[in-house]
Amino acid sequence: MKEYKEIYVNGSWVSPIGKDVIDVVNPCNEEVIARVTMANEKDVDNAVKSAREAFPAWSKTSVAERSALMTRLSKALAARQDEIGDTIAREMGMPAPLARMIQAGLPIAALDSFVSILNDYQFEYPMGRTTIVKEAIGVCGFITPWNYPLHQIMGKVAPAIAAGCTMVVKPSQIAPLNSYILAEIMDEIGMPPGVFNLVVGAGSNVGHALASHPDVDMVSLTGSTSSGVKVMQAAANTIKRVTLELGGKSPNVLLEDADFSTAVMKGVYGAFLNSGQTCIALSRMIVPADRQKEVAEMAANTVKTMKMGDAFAEGMYLGPMVDGNQQKSVRGYIEAGIREGATLVIGGPEQPEGLDKGYYVKPTVFADVKQEMTIAREEIFGPVLVIMPYKTEEEAIEIANGTVYGLSGSVWSGDIERARRVAKEIRSGQVFVNGGDFDINAPAGGYKQSGIGRERSKYGLEEYLEIKALIGPSV
Ligand code: NAD
């Protein structure tokens, strides 16, 4: 078993002042795979100090310099792509082939996308007699989750590097191992000391210390909405910029003229990717009432094609929940669905047959789900799909928007213009139209309680920039 006893601060691996040690557990078999020494608030102080000291020189580097470093970073990540994928498969349970492609592949794609954005970006331009100058915001604190751990880190680190910011990263303590690989690579490629710092620790102390630190200019969290509230409150006293990528309960609207067999199959696969532990999961399928039975049958048949098991076993689509707490929580939701009168189509709260060890949950589909039910309202973050019937297009839109969240969505119709029209009615940051695939170049982020700000694209870069007006004399 590997022990991780150091954090990465000011370009060096150092022993943290914090002394707490936690286990990292493989959720497929409940075995401890690593031990990690956690940082504390004093380590955050040191990391912020190093980021502050590095900021003046780093923020003045040229676009060419930053772009070259980002390209080196991307190549070095690509050289270790399988190792990164397998590490994430072990620490959070996603089947390894998928983890190599998605968990390790997306951060590389995100970096490459930001290299292009950086190379084309106008940091300075005239506006009448004023010159607009876009400058790096300063020292950033990044707090990230375990579900797509490196992808979520890179969603912040790549634009921050591009902008000329320096940063302190606090990854999820549940799946931190990938972040040590990232720090190793930062070291190898010659990232100047202090630009990238890694402090692994708990949210309640290290995360809180970053969010409240007077010398941090911006804090960005990807995580649950409840953590978003705490981070915003902690950041308030120092008026720092806050961006939040939070939870979702995203609708997948099937209009009656859609291709149902494709829409249902794609919808179920999407909802259950990463065993439903995906912020943009389309977890509510909204269907014409008179087609609900047919949809439920198609969904159940799709579920039956999915294999669940160890991340390194052949042909798996579904892995376990990340830990015992998550497993308990998801099972609790399934029990609530049954108790509140939804129709259980397939699945249930029991441990799946043949998987005695590991935090598995049966892929579960409910039908006849009504707006007021717990499973229709709350983010479950597990393999649970709810089918909600509607009678008119207006009602479908009302159900789609009947949530405190607004992260993602989807609309299917035989008529693309109709699908786009309905998509515009959905109050969320992204809407997939007729099965549109994930786009690394598209901005992502939430309306309502799904967050503040955007990641990816030039809008993602601009979160890390201040706008300065150099005002010239009137002529
Ligand atoms: P979480 O909120 O429990 O933890 C996220 C991070 O916040 C962790 O690093 C944690 O240590 C830290 N944290 C917790 N309490 C904190 C506090 N008081 N102050 C500062 N930091 C604190 O979330 P999770 O369980 O790791 O991830 C799942 C959640 O993340 C889901 O709700 C999911 O929808 C959301 N998510 C959103 C996106 C998105 O892009 N919108 C992407 C992935 C995950």
Side-chain angles (χ1 to χ4, degrees):
M1 186 191 5
K2 210 164 161 187
E3 302 216 33
Y4 295 76
K5 295 184 169 175
E6 292 172 328
I7 54 175
Y8 188 71
V9 175
N10 202 23
S12 301
W13 289 99
V14 296
S15 297
I17 298 161
K19 292 291 166 243
D20 291 350
V21 176
I22 53 154
D23 292 337
V24 179
V25 174
N26 177 343
C28 298
N29 55 23
E30 302 174 37
E31 281 170 15
V32 176
I33 50 170
R35 288 221 165 92
V36 167
T37 306
M38 307 248 271
N40 68 13
E41 297 89 334
K42 292 193 186 98
D43 294 302
V44 171
D45 277 343
N46 291 339
V48 170
K49 189 164 173 276
S50 98
R52 175 57 60 201
E53 283 167 8
F55 180 69
W58 176 248
S59 59
K60 291 186 184 68
T61 50
S62 67
V63 162
E65 259 173 277
R66 298 201 295 281
S67 162
L69 264 170
M70 288 169 74
T71 304
R72 283 225 287 286
L73 179 58
S74 164
K75 287 198 175 129
L77 282 168
R80 293 175 74 174
Q81 182 165 350
D82 286 355
E83 178 197 348
I84 292 169
D86 290 358
T87 301
I88 296 176
R90 254 178 235 113
E91 60 184 336
M92 59 74 62
M94 183 187 241
L98 286 170
R100 289 177 202 135
M101 188 171 68
I102 299 172
Q103 299 278 10
L106 286 184
I108 299 168
L111 257 170
D112 294 344
S113 156
F114 274 111
V115 170
S116 310
I117 292 165
L118 173 61
N119 289 341
D120 292 342
Y121 195 75
Q122 270 202 303
F123 284 89
E124 196 170 319
Y125 51 89
M127 188 187 266
R129 66 188 164 88
T130 290
T131 303
I132 299 294
V133 184
K134 305 272 183 81
E135 295 180 337
I137 188 165
V139 174
C140 303
F142 296 149
I143 306 170
T144 56
W146 47 263
N147 60 329
Y148 291 88
L150 192 59
H151 175 55
Q152 308 304 347
I153 292 173
M154 199 53 76
K156 305 179 192 307
V157 165
I161 294 177
C165 293
T166 57
M167 65 213 75
V168 179
V169 177
K170 189 214 88 65
S172 167
Q173 66 278 28
I174 297 173
L177 306 184
N178 60 89
S179 67
Y180 293 95
I181 300 180
L182 177 64
E184 276 170 32
I185 292 177
M186 291 282 187
D187 199 61
E188 265 165 42
I189 63 161
M191 190 58 78
V195 172
F196 171 92
N197 301 275
L198 178 73
V199 287
V200 178
S204 53
N205 64 347
V206 171
H208 177 82
L210 266 181
S212 54
H213 204 290
D215 224 11
V216 170
D217 300 293
M218 173 197 185
V219 63
S220 177
L221 164 86
T222 298
S224 58
T225 297
S226 63
S227 298
V229 171
K230 290 182 190 143
V231 164
M232 241 181 132
Q233 284 169 341
N237 284 336
T238 48
I239 320 287
K240 51 175 65 73
R241 186 177 296 175
V242 177
T243 63
L244 303 170
E245 293 286 322
L246 307 175
K249 187 75 184 174
S250 299
N252 188 4
V253 177
L254 275 58
L255 297 170
E256 78 289 343
D257 58 354
D259 167 0
F260 273 52
S261 59
T262 308
V264 174
M265 192 263 290
K266 239 186 135 163
V268 176
Y269 266 93
F272 289 176
L273 177 70
N274 207 15
S275 292
Q277 303 168 118
T278 302
C279 54
I280 58 168
L282 302 170
S283 52
R284 294 181 297 142
M285 193 175 276
I286 300 170
V287 306
D290 58 357
R291 311 271 308 261
Q292 182 180 222
K293 205 159 165 262
E294 178 194 346
V295 167
E297 236 176 77
M298 287 174 172
N301 288 335
T302 306
V303 168
K304 286 179 195 153
T305 66
M306 294 174 175
K307 282 170 79 178
M308 174 181 263
D310 189 274
F312 290 87
E314 204 52 36
M316 297 300 137
Y317 185 71
L318 300 166
M321 301 294 92
V322 76
D323 63 15
N325 290 336
Q326 189 67 14
Q327 182 193 41
K328 200 166 154 227
S329 158
V330 177
R331 284 181 172 171
Y333 279 114
I334 297 173
E335 281 159 3
I338 296 168
R339 203 172 48 242
E340 292 175 21
T343 305
L344 183 65
V345 176
I346 192 167
E350 312 80 18
Q351 184 82 6
E353 296 82 32
L355 293 167
D356 302 331
K357 275 242 140 153
Y359 305 117
Y360 295 95
V361 171
K362 283 185 179 176
T364 298
V365 177
F366 282 104
D368 299 308
V369 176
K370 301 197 174 67
Q371 286 279 54
E372 61 276 13
M373 291 179 181
T374 309
I375 55 171
R377 284 186 289 108
E378 295 185 17
E379 182 184 47
I380 298 175
F381 227 55
V384 181
L385 176 70
V386 303
I387 301 176
M388 305 178 76
Y390 70 84
K391 292 221 172 63
T392 61
E393 185 184 294
E394 292 68 37
E395 194 193 356
I397 294 168
E398 198 183 302
I399 295 171
N401 287 330
T403 167
V404 297
Y405 294 112
L407 192 59
S408 176
S410 154
V411 179
W412 291 83
S413 165
D415 171 358
I416 183 91
E417 284 315 316
R418 184 179 178 207
R420 288 168 60 87
R421 176 173 57 73
V422 173
K424 286 183 188 168
E425 297 292 330
I426 295 181
R427 303 280 301 159
S428 68
Q430 292 193 327
V431 187
F432 296 90
V433 181
N434 272 0
D437 289 316
F438 179 83
D439 181 1
I440 196 77
N441 298 307
Y447 283 29
K448 301 194 266 182
Q449 292 183 28
S450 286
I452 300 175
R454 291 292 175 272
E455 292 199 330
R456 307 201 281 274
S457 80
K458 76 166 180 161
Y459 304 105
L461 174 65
E462 287 174 347
E463 301 290 351
Y464 296 89
L465 296 171
E466 285 283 15
I467 300 170
K468 178 175 284 172
L470 296 181
I471 305 173
S474 315
V475 278

